[in-house]
Amino acid sequence: MMLGPDTPRCEVAVIVPVHNGAAYLPDCLAAIAAQSLHDFCCILVDDGSTDGSAALCDEAAANDPRFVALHQPRSGVSAARTAGVRRARELGAIWLAFCDADDRYHPDFLRTLHHAAQDAALPLACCRYDTFTDAPPADAAAPEAYRVLAAPAHLEALLRDHAVDYGLWNKLYAAGLLTEEMLDNGLAYNEDLLANWRAFLRAKGCAFCDFAGYHYRQHAESATHRALPPQSIDDQRRAAALIRGDVPAQWPELQQTANAFYYEKLVYLASMIHRRADADAYRVQLGELNIGITAGLKDPQLGRNPRLPFAIRAAAWATVHAPRLWRRICRKFLKDRQ
């Protein structure tokens, strides 16, 4: 695609998948429009919305030349992000960022991560995030300094450090780092984790900026509050298994971390089933998880992995040897996604 004389420069493309986000989208777009980095474009991908989001996307594009609106039939967040990346490449974007339609950027989010990635000569930068319900937290000053997580420390951090997290939205990527296949990877849950793992594998490190640059909104329809279908169990387990099988041979300690991550995921998913009132709907998934947890109890790569937290070892033992008691404990103390 040839860029016309009126096409805005697109150093950074911010991609926002939108599905029925009209209640929060204006706040999201206002925060993007207020970015202190001016050389960006924002690609809004309306994914079959029925609540007025499509009109809001068109209005933003009509009022601000930095915004572009795309519309597609309902295809899911991965397909929406992929469509946005495709458009970003057509616009000549050098960097890619993502934002969910109900969240908000810190005003210096793009500038800070862009500076850090360029200064460190790395194709990847990230920052912390915080959560809010009604009003976002006050924005602290963004730091000028950053810390380099050199490979494989950035991969360790992706799996173990909540500040780095699995999400695509608190990060900045060189446009050549992410491929469409990474984003549209066949998973509906933990798709961002798997995409990040594969992107991080291609980077020699990550520039980490220690500030809450991304504000993640918590509400009844957000991902952390929705009751998840049985497919979520299958997808999360598959993502962890794919990561475990995709560790470069030169990093044996990272393999140990990936093994522990996989086993912890099995235990966590089993606990997530136990805490639900409709646990019977997950009989097949729970049976498969129990087989894996039981087989791994005495395995030095899994249940006896030194990188596995003691609490997970105890939960694995309880899952296998005291399932009724463990179910009662899960239902009493583990309240999310019931």
Side-chain angles (χ1 to χ4, degrees):
M1 173 182 173
M2 296 295 293
L3 300 182
D6 297 328
T7 303
R9 182 184 175 194
C10 195
E11 175 75 9
V12 180
V14 179
I15 297 160
V16 184
V18 182
H19 178 71
N20 291 347
Y24 306 112
L25 186 58
D27 284 349
C28 172
L29 300 186
I32 293 172
Q35 287 296 293
S36 58
L37 178 77
H38 299 296
D39 298 333
F40 77 89
C41 59
C42 179
I43 302 169
L44 306 171
V45 187
D46 165 44
D47 188 41
S49 297
T50 59
D51 70 339
S53 294
L56 289 173
C57 292
D58 288 338
E59 181 182 351
N63 292 334
D64 190 327
R66 298 173 299 178
F67 287 76
V68 176
L70 305 180
H71 302 277
Q72 65 181 30
R74 177 71 169 139
S75 305
V77 66
S78 294
R81 286 170 175 159
T82 303
V85 168
R86 197 176 299 122
R87 180 65 166 142
R89 297 196 199 288
E90 293 174 348
L91 293 172
I94 307 300
W95 299 89
L96 302 173
F98 298 87
C99 186
D100 286 351
D102 48 358
D103 298 338
R104 292 176 60 103
Y105 277 168
H106 183 292
D108 292 322
F109 173 81
L110 292 179
R111 181 188 63 79
T112 302
L113 269 61
H114 183 254
H115 166 75
Q118 288 198 313
D119 191 66
L122 291 171
L124 183 61
C126 72
C127 65
R128 291 187 289 106
Y129 72 97
D130 54 23
T131 61
F132 71 102
T133 51
D134 298 320
D139 288 311
E144 295 300 323
Y146 59 86
R147 178 163 50 99
V148 171
L149 302 173
H154 68 314
L155 289 155
E156 291 266 0
L158 178 64
L159 297 183
R160 302 175 71 180
D161 188 343
H162 186 64
V164 173
D165 200 74
Y166 308 162
L168 292 164
W169 26 255
N170 64 329
K171 300 175 179 69
L172 181 73
Y173 307 85
L177 188 66
L178 280 174
T179 67
E180 295 176 15
E181 292 75 20
M182 288 179 188
L183 291 171
D184 204 356
N185 52 35
L187 300 181
Y189 302 88
N190 272 188
E191 77 287 346
D192 45 359
L193 167 61
L194 184 59
N196 267 318
W197 175 260
R198 290 171 172 171
F200 276 47
L201 280 173
R202 300 179 68 190
K204 62 182 180 179
C206 174
F208 178 75
C209 305
D210 191 11
F211 80 120
Y214 191 89
H215 304 312
Y216 185 97
R217 188 189 299 268
Q218 300 272 317
H219 57 87
E221 295 303 315
S222 63
T224 54
H225 286 80
R226 288 196 299 266
L228 300 179
Q231 181 193 353
S232 70
I233 306 295
D234 299 330
D235 279 2
Q236 291 184 66
R237 183 181 181 187
R238 183 181 171 208
L242 289 170
I243 288 170
R244 184 188 181 202
D246 195 25
V247 177
Q250 70 265 31
W251 294 327
E253 290 187 358
L254 180 61
Q255 183 66 68
Q256 193 175 47
T257 295
N259 290 340
F261 178 82
Y262 171 77
Y263 195 69
E264 183 170 352
K265 181 68 76 172
L266 298 185
V267 176
Y268 165 74
L269 292 174
S271 75
M272 192 164 72
I273 292 173
H274 280 310
R275 76 188 69 174
R276 296 182 59 87
D278 61 343
D280 284 348
Y282 297 81
R283 284 194 303 271
V284 172
Q285 286 79 10
L286 184 58
E288 293 173 346
L289 291 168
N290 281 341
I291 290 172
I293 294 168
T294 301
L297 274 180
K298 297 182 179 181
D299 188 334
Q301 295 298 318
L302 296 173
R304 294 191 175 179
N305 189 318
R307 298 202 171 194
L308 194 69
F310 175 78
I312 301 301
R313 297 188 195 189
W317 184 93
T319 301
V320 173
H321 295 293
R324 293 183 180 178
L325 174 61
W326 182 237
R327 185 177 299 114
R328 287 198 296 269
I329 292 172
C330 288
R331 291 185 177 181
K332 182 174 178 62
F333 294 106
L334 305 177
K335 300 296 186 182
D336 61 311
R337 291 181 175 175
Q338 288 188 331

mmCIF file of all heavy atoms in Angstrom, residues 12-14 31-32 35-41 95-98 105-116 171-172 211 213:
data_model
loop_
_atom_site.group_PDB
_atom_site.id
_atom_site.type_symbol
_atom_site.label_atom_id
_atom_site.label_comp_id
_atom_site.label_asym_id
_atom_site.label_seq_id
_atom_site.Cartn_x
_atom_site.Cartn_y
_atom_site.Cartn_z
ATOM 1 N N VAL A 12 4.827 4.422 15.877
ATOM 2 C CA VAL A 12 4.241 3.388 16.737
ATOM 3 C C VAL A 12 2.780 3.226 16.364
ATOM 4 O O VAL A 12 2.037 4.216 16.276
ATOM 5 C CB VAL A 12 4.343 3.773 18.226
ATOM 6 C CG1 VAL A 12 3.716 2.688 19.108
ATOM 7 C CG2 VAL A 12 5.799 4.007 18.632
ATOM 8 N N ALA A 13 2.363 1.995 16.139
ATOM 9 C CA ALA A 13 0.949 1.697 15.904
ATOM 10 C C ALA A 13 0.364 1.077 17.167
ATOM 11 O O ALA A 13 0.863 0.066 17.658
ATOM 12 C CB ALA A 13 0.782 0.744 14.723
ATOM 13 N N VAL A 14 -0.669 1.716 17.703
ATOM 14 C CA VAL A 14 -1.405 1.173 18.852
ATOM 15 C C VAL A 14 -2.625 0.440 18.310
ATOM 16 O O VAL A 14 -3.439 1.035 17.596
ATOM 17 C CB VAL A 14 -1.852 2.304 19.808
ATOM 18 C CG1 VAL A 14 -2.641 1.717 20.977
ATOM 19 C CG2 VAL A 14 -0.645 3.081 20.310
ATOM 20 N N ALA A 31 -7.191 8.554 26.537
ATOM 21 C CA ALA A 31 -5.859 8.326 27.093
ATOM 22 C C ALA A 31 -4.839 8.088 25.998
ATOM 23 O O ALA A 31 -3.674 8.509 26.111
ATOM 24 C CB ALA A 31 -5.897 7.139 28.056
ATOM 25 N N ILE A 32 -5.240 7.429 24.933
ATOM 26 C CA ILE A 32 -4.319 7.218 23.811
ATOM 27 C C ILE A 32 -4.053 8.544 23.095
ATOM 28 O O ILE A 32 -2.906 8.876 22.770
ATOM 29 C CB ILE A 32 -4.891 6.167 22.838
ATOM 30 C CG1 ILE A 32 -4.940 4.799 23.516
ATOM 31 C CG2 ILE A 32 -4.054 6.099 21.563
ATOM 32 C CD1 ILE A 32 -5.659 3.732 22.714
ATOM 33 N N GLN A 35 -1.284 10.857 24.550
ATOM 34 C CA GLN A 35 0.084 10.378 24.694
ATOM 35 C C GLN A 35 1.110 11.472 24.400
ATOM 36 O O GLN A 35 0.953 12.256 23.460
ATOM 37 C CB GLN A 35 0.322 9.183 23.775
ATOM 38 C CG GLN A 35 -0.355 7.905 24.223
ATOM 39 C CD GLN A 35 0.188 7.427 25.555
ATOM 40 O OE1 GLN A 35 1.342 7.021 25.680
ATOM 41 N NE2 GLN A 35 -0.649 7.501 26.585
ATOM 42 N N SER A 36 2.168 11.504 25.205
ATOM 43 C CA SER A 36 3.218 12.505 25.016
ATOM 44 C C SER A 36 4.101 12.200 23.809
ATOM 45 O O SER A 36 4.805 13.076 23.318
ATOM 46 C CB SER A 36 4.075 12.618 26.281
ATOM 47 O OG SER A 36 4.664 11.370 26.616
ATOM 48 N N LEU A 37 4.100 10.958 23.348
ATOM 49 C CA LEU A 37 4.741 10.621 22.075
ATOM 50 C C LEU A 37 3.743 10.936 20.959
ATOM 51 O O LEU A 37 2.634 10.399 20.937
ATOM 52 C CB LEU A 37 5.113 9.132 22.035
ATOM 53 C CG LEU A 37 5.755 8.662 20.733
ATOM 54 C CD1 LEU A 37 7.215 9.096 20.682
ATOM 55 C CD2 LEU A 37 5.646 7.153 20.576
ATOM 56 N N HIS A 38 4.119 11.804 20.041
ATOM 57 C CA HIS A 38 3.164 12.268 19.041
ATOM 58 C C HIS A 38 3.183 11.428 17.766
ATOM 59 O O HIS A 38 2.191 11.424 17.025
ATOM 60 C CB HIS A 38 3.447 13.730 18.690
ATOM 61 C CG HIS A 38 3.324 14.654 19.863
ATOM 62 N ND1 HIS A 38 2.134 14.860 20.530
ATOM 63 C CD2 HIS A 38 4.259 15.417 20.514
ATOM 64 C CE1 HIS A 38 2.319 15.701 21.530
ATOM 65 N NE2 HIS A 38 3.599 16.053 21.545
ATOM 66 N N ASP A 39 4.283 10.744 17.491
ATOM 67 C CA ASP A 39 4.413 10.021 16.226
ATOM 68 C C ASP A 39 3.807 8.626 16.348
ATOM 69 O O ASP A 39 4.512 7.614 16.327
ATOM 70 C CB ASP A 39 5.880 9.920 15.817
ATOM 71 C CG ASP A 39 6.498 11.280 15.584
ATOM 72 O OD1 ASP A 39 5.739 12.196 15.241
ATOM 73 O OD2 ASP A 39 7.718 11.413 15.760
ATOM 74 N N PHE A 40 2.495 8.574 16.484
ATOM 75 C CA PHE A 40 1.825 7.278 16.569
ATOM 76 C C PHE A 40 0.534 7.328 15.773
ATOM 77 O O PHE A 40 0.006 8.393 15.443
ATOM 78 C CB PHE A 40 1.533 6.909 18.033
ATOM 79 C CG PHE A 40 0.353 7.635 18.629
ATOM 80 C CD1 PHE A 40 -0.935 7.108 18.530
ATOM 81 C CD2 PHE A 40 0.523 8.844 19.296
ATOM 82 C CE1 PHE A 40 -2.024 7.780 19.066
ATOM 83 C CE2 PHE A 40 -0.559 9.516 19.836
ATOM 84 C CZ PHE A 40 -1.843 8.986 19.722
ATOM 85 N N CYS A 41 0.042 6.140 15.451
ATOM 86 C CA CYS A 41 -1.312 6.005 14.930
ATOM 87 C C CYS A 41 -2.020 4.963 15.782
ATOM 88 O O CYS A 41 -1.381 4.142 16.437
ATOM 89 C CB CYS A 41 -1.312 5.595 13.452
ATOM 90 S SG CYS A 41 -0.476 4.037 13.107
ATOM 91 N N TRP A 95 7.020 0.223 15.279
ATOM 92 C CA TRP A 95 6.770 -0.407 16.574
ATOM 93 C C TRP A 95 5.283 -0.702 16.707
ATOM 94 O O TRP A 95 4.446 -0.014 16.103
ATOM 95 C CB TRP A 95 7.214 0.507 17.722
ATOM 96 C CG TRP A 95 8.667 0.829 17.713
ATOM 97 C CD1 TRP A 95 9.274 1.875 17.069
ATOM 98 C CD2 TRP A 95 9.714 0.088 18.352
ATOM 99 N NE1 TRP A 95 10.626 1.837 17.268
ATOM 100 C CE2 TRP A 95 10.929 0.754 18.060
ATOM 101 C CE3 TRP A 95 9.752 -1.057 19.142
ATOM 102 C CZ2 TRP A 95 12.158 0.296 18.529
ATOM 103 C CZ3 TRP A 95 10.971 -1.515 19.614
ATOM 104 C CH2 TRP A 95 12.157 -0.838 19.311
ATOM 105 N N LEU A 96 4.969 -1.706 17.538
ATOM 106 C CA LEU A 96 3.589 -2.097 17.792
ATOM 107 C C LEU A 96 3.295 -2.078 19.286
ATOM 108 O O LEU A 96 4.121 -2.530 20.091
ATOM 109 C CB LEU A 96 3.326 -3.513 17.264
ATOM 110 C CG LEU A 96 3.577 -3.772 15.782
ATOM 111 C CD1 LEU A 96 3.419 -5.259 15.479
ATOM 112 C CD2 LEU A 96 2.639 -2.945 14.919
ATOM 113 N N ALA A 97 2.128 -1.567 19.641
ATOM 114 C CA ALA A 97 1.641 -1.621 21.023
ATOM 115 C C ALA A 97 0.174 -2.038 20.974
ATOM 116 O O ALA A 97 -0.486 -1.897 19.936
ATOM 117 C CB ALA A 97 1.796 -0.275 21.721
ATOM 118 N N PHE A 98 -0.322 -2.528 22.094
ATOM 119 C CA PHE A 98 -1.700 -3.008 22.163
ATOM 120 C C PHE A 98 -2.382 -2.396 23.379
ATOM 121 O O PHE A 98 -1.746 -2.098 24.392
ATOM 122 C CB PHE A 98 -1.741 -4.536 22.262
ATOM 123 C CG PHE A 98 -1.134 -5.230 21.070
ATOM 124 C CD1 PHE A 98 0.232 -5.486 21.020
ATOM 125 C CD2 PHE A 98 -1.921 -5.594 19.992
ATOM 126 C CE1 PHE A 98 0.797 -6.102 19.914
ATOM 127 C CE2 PHE A 98 -1.362 -6.210 18.878
ATOM 128 C CZ PHE A 98 -0.002 -6.465 18.836
ATOM 129 N N TYR A 105 -3.986 3.976 29.076
ATOM 130 C CA TYR A 105 -2.540 4.192 29.117
ATOM 131 C C TYR A 105 -2.196 5.329 30.078
ATOM 132 O O TYR A 105 -2.941 6.315 30.190
ATOM 133 C CB TYR A 105 -2.031 4.614 27.740
ATOM 134 C CG TYR A 105 -1.758 3.521 26.738
ATOM 135 C CD1 TYR A 105 -1.530 3.852 25.401
ATOM 136 C CD2 TYR A 105 -1.705 2.181 27.082
ATOM 137 C CE1 TYR A 105 -1.258 2.894 24.449
ATOM 138 C CE2 TYR A 105 -1.429 1.211 26.139
ATOM 139 C CZ TYR A 105 -1.210 1.562 24.819
ATOM 140 O OH TYR A 105 -0.934 0.620 23.876
ATOM 141 N N HIS A 106 -1.061 5.224 30.751
ATOM 142 C CA HIS A 106 -0.387 6.378 31.360
ATOM 143 C C HIS A 106 -0.022 7.332 30.221
ATOM 144 O O HIS A 106 0.319 6.900 29.115
ATOM 145 C CB HIS A 106 0.875 5.864 32.073
ATOM 146 C CG HIS A 106 1.656 6.887 32.816
ATOM 147 N ND1 HIS A 106 2.352 7.908 32.191
ATOM 148 C CD2 HIS A 106 1.902 7.032 34.153
ATOM 149 C CE1 HIS A 106 2.979 8.632 33.096
ATOM 150 N NE2 HIS A 106 2.717 8.134 34.292
ATOM 151 N N PRO A 107 -0.068 8.649 30.428
ATOM 152 C CA PRO A 107 0.220 9.578 29.321
ATOM 153 C C PRO A 107 1.616 9.426 28.722
ATOM 154 O O PRO A 107 1.833 9.804 27.567
ATOM 155 C CB PRO A 107 0.031 10.970 29.951
ATOM 156 C CG PRO A 107 -0.168 10.761 31.401
ATOM 157 C CD PRO A 107 -0.523 9.348 31.643
ATOM 158 N N ASP A 108 2.559 8.878 29.482
ATOM 159 C CA ASP A 108 3.919 8.694 28.966
ATOM 160 C C ASP A 108 4.225 7.238 28.616
ATOM 161 O O ASP A 108 5.393 6.869 28.468
ATOM 162 C CB ASP A 108 4.946 9.180 29.997
ATOM 163 C CG ASP A 108 4.908 10.675 30.186
ATOM 164 O OD1 ASP A 108 4.725 11.395 29.189
ATOM 165 O OD2 ASP A 108 5.039 11.136 31.339
ATOM 166 N N PHE A 109 3.202 6.411 28.498
ATOM 167 C CA PHE A 109 3.412 4.987 28.217
ATOM 168 C C PHE A 109 4.229 4.787 26.942
ATOM 169 O O PHE A 109 5.289 4.142 26.956
ATOM 170 C CB PHE A 109 2.061 4.277 28.095
ATOM 171 C CG PHE A 109 2.155 2.844 27.644
ATOM 172 C CD1 PHE A 109 2.474 1.840 28.551
ATOM 173 C CD2 PHE A 109 1.923 2.491 26.324
ATOM 174 C CE1 PHE A 109 2.561 0.516 28.133
ATOM 175 C CE2 PHE A 109 2.008 1.182 25.905
ATOM 176 C CZ PHE A 109 2.328 0.186 26.811
ATOM 177 N N LEU A 110 3.778 5.316 25.836
ATOM 178 C CA LEU A 110 4.467 5.095 24.567
ATOM 179 C C LEU A 110 5.850 5.735 24.555
ATOM 180 O O LEU A 110 6.830 5.125 24.121
ATOM 181 C CB LEU A 110 3.630 5.644 23.405
ATOM 182 C CG LEU A 110 2.314 4.918 23.104
ATOM 183 C CD1 LEU A 110 1.600 5.603 21.941
ATOM 184 C CD2 LEU A 110 2.540 3.446 22.796
ATOM 185 N N ARG A 111 5.941 6.969 25.036
ATOM 186 C CA ARG A 111 7.232 7.664 25.016
ATOM 187 C C ARG A 111 8.274 6.926 25.834
ATOM 188 O O ARG A 111 9.419 6.744 25.392
ATOM 189 C CB ARG A 111 7.075 9.092 25.545
ATOM 190 C CG ARG A 111 8.377 9.901 25.535
ATOM 191 C CD ARG A 111 8.225 11.226 26.249
ATOM 192 N NE ARG A 111 7.925 11.070 27.670
ATOM 193 C CZ ARG A 111 8.837 10.777 28.603
ATOM 194 N NH1 ARG A 111 10.114 10.584 28.253
ATOM 195 N NH2 ARG A 111 8.480 10.675 29.865
ATOM 196 N N THR A 112 7.892 6.471 27.025
ATOM 197 C CA THR A 112 8.851 5.838 27.928
ATOM 198 C C THR A 112 9.338 4.508 27.369
ATOM 199 O O THR A 112 10.544 4.223 27.355
ATOM 200 C CB THR A 112 8.210 5.630 29.308
ATOM 201 O OG1 THR A 112 7.770 6.895 29.813
ATOM 202 C CG2 THR A 112 9.192 5.015 30.278
ATOM 203 N N LEU A 113 8.429 3.682 26.889
ATOM 204 C CA LEU A 113 8.836 2.377 26.361
ATOM 205 C C LEU A 113 9.594 2.524 25.042
ATOM 206 O O LEU A 113 10.568 1.804 24.787
ATOM 207 C CB LEU A 113 7.611 1.470 26.183
ATOM 208 C CG LEU A 113 7.265 0.596 27.394
ATOM 209 C CD1 LEU A 113 6.931 1.436 28.622
ATOM 210 C CD2 LEU A 113 6.121 -0.361 27.074
ATOM 211 N N HIS A 114 9.175 3.468 24.229
ATOM 212 C CA HIS A 114 9.850 3.719 22.952
ATOM 213 C C HIS A 114 11.284 4.169 23.186
ATOM 214 O O HIS A 114 12.226 3.671 22.548
ATOM 215 C CB HIS A 114 9.061 4.770 22.165
ATOM 216 C CG HIS A 114 9.604 5.072 20.815
ATOM 217 N ND1 HIS A 114 10.285 6.237 20.528
ATOM 218 C CD2 HIS A 114 9.560 4.364 19.660
ATOM 219 C CE1 HIS A 114 10.631 6.237 19.255
ATOM 220 N NE2 HIS A 114 10.216 5.125 18.702
ATOM 221 N N HIS A 115 11.474 5.097 24.122
ATOM 222 C CA HIS A 115 12.826 5.554 24.444
ATOM 223 C C HIS A 115 13.682 4.411 24.976
ATOM 224 O O HIS A 115 14.846 4.251 24.571
ATOM 225 C CB HIS A 115 12.766 6.685 25.469
ATOM 226 C CG HIS A 115 14.099 6.982 26.099
ATOM 227 N ND1 HIS A 115 15.102 7.666 25.435
ATOM 228 C CD2 HIS A 115 14.607 6.652 27.330
ATOM 229 C CE1 HIS A 115 16.168 7.756 26.222
ATOM 230 N NE2 HIS A 115 15.891 7.149 27.361
ATOM 231 N N ALA A 116 13.141 3.624 25.898
ATOM 232 C CA ALA A 116 13.914 2.543 26.505
ATOM 233 C C ALA A 116 14.343 1.515 25.463
ATOM 234 O O ALA A 116 15.507 1.085 25.435
ATOM 235 C CB ALA A 116 13.099 1.880 27.614
ATOM 236 N N LYS A 171 3.383 -3.745 26.870
ATOM 237 C CA LYS A 171 4.651 -3.935 26.167
ATOM 238 C C LYS A 171 4.684 -3.164 24.856
ATOM 239 O O LYS A 171 3.642 -2.775 24.316
ATOM 240 C CB LYS A 171 4.882 -5.432 25.909
ATOM 241 C CG LYS A 171 4.933 -6.258 27.199
ATOM 242 C CD LYS A 171 5.035 -7.744 26.928
ATOM 243 C CE LYS A 171 5.108 -8.520 28.235
ATOM 244 N NZ LYS A 171 3.842 -8.473 28.993
ATOM 245 N N LEU A 172 5.892 -2.967 24.358
ATOM 246 C CA LEU A 172 6.123 -2.365 23.052
ATOM 247 C C LEU A 172 7.030 -3.314 22.273
ATOM 248 O O LEU A 172 8.034 -3.794 22.807
ATOM 249 C CB LEU A 172 6.789 -0.995 23.192
ATOM 250 C CG LEU A 172 7.054 -0.242 21.893
ATOM 251 C CD1 LEU A 172 5.754 0.304 21.305
ATOM 252 C CD2 LEU A 172 8.051 0.913 22.124
ATOM 253 N N PHE A 211 7.455 1.395 36.130
ATOM 254 C CA PHE A 211 6.357 2.281 36.488
ATOM 255 C C PHE A 211 5.063 1.648 35.992
ATOM 256 O O PHE A 211 5.069 0.797 35.096
ATOM 257 C CB PHE A 211 6.545 3.688 35.911
ATOM 258 C CG PHE A 211 6.174 3.842 34.457
ATOM 259 C CD1 PHE A 211 5.180 4.734 34.059
ATOM 260 C CD2 PHE A 211 6.836 3.117 33.460
ATOM 261 C CE1 PHE A 211 4.843 4.891 32.730
ATOM 262 C CE2 PHE A 211 6.502 3.279 32.125
ATOM 263 C CZ PHE A 211 5.503 4.164 31.762
ATOM 264 N N GLY A 213 2.608 1.855 33.801
ATOM 265 C CA GLY A 213 2.292 2.549 32.563
ATOM 266 C C GLY A 213 0.974 2.136 31.950
ATOM 267 O O GLY A 213 0.506 2.776 31.004
#
